[in-house]
Amino acid sequence: MPDVREALMIGKRSDGTLVRRPLSPHLQIYKPQVSSTTSIMNRVTGIALSVGLLLMVWWLVAAATGPQAFATAQGFIGLILMFGWTLSLWYHFCNGIRHLLWDTGWGFEIQTSHRTALIVVIATAVLTLLSWIIGLAVWL
Ligand code: HEM
């Protein structure tokens, strides 16, 4: 029996004749590359930032509600989540700037793209550590 999903592979040329659509390469076909990994991480951190924002609103509402609610929201896990959120923010911010530079047409050469990826990773580590050093110095 033919696989019904085959129907999705049928397309039409502009002259009306039927054609089998080409299959785009996808994750199981491409080997991981610097460009694909940094792009996937941009999506992962974008989603992490969105979920983290909801948690942060919950945390702020708990702080405004009272000491008992705040004690529930505050904790070690919260600190780990906050670390993940700052890491995501700095990665997404630095890689976001990389994306905006690409939008101007700059930085598509493979060597430049690899170099900017490395800059993004180093800048993310430095900015995250700096944020936490300053944050903890003010907090403690
Ligand atoms: C809390 C703040 C932020 C949140 C929640 C957020 C969330 C997101 C999400 C969900 C996406 C879509 C990811 C995808 O589907 O691939 C995205 C894409 C993007 N974000 Fe953010 N973002 C934030 C901050 C920023 C900042 C500060 C910048 C700039 C420096 C930025 C630049 C971008 C760019 C350029 C894209 C599109 C990337 C592409 O073309 O694929 N974002 N963001």
Side-chain angles (χ1 to χ4, degrees), residues 27 32 34-46 91 95:
L27 277 182
V34 173
S35 52
S36 62
T37 309
T38 50
S39 166
I40 289 165
M41 285 312 294
N42 203 61
R43 180 161 290 183
V44 169
T45 52
Y91 178 87
N95 204 50

Side-chain angles (χ1 to χ4, degrees), residues 73-86 132 136 139:
Q74 182 79 319
F76 183 62
I77 301 262
L79 273 184
I80 295 174
L81 288 177
M82 188 67 103
F83 184 82
W85 198 84
T86 36
W132 276 80
L136 288 174
W139 185 36

Side-chain angles (χ1 to χ4, degrees), residues 79 82-84 86-87 127-137:
L79 273 184
M82 188 67 103
F83 184 82
T86 36
L87 190 71
L127 290 168
T128 306
L129 282 179
L130 219 65
S131 309
W132 276 80
I133 289 168
I134 294 171
L136 288 174

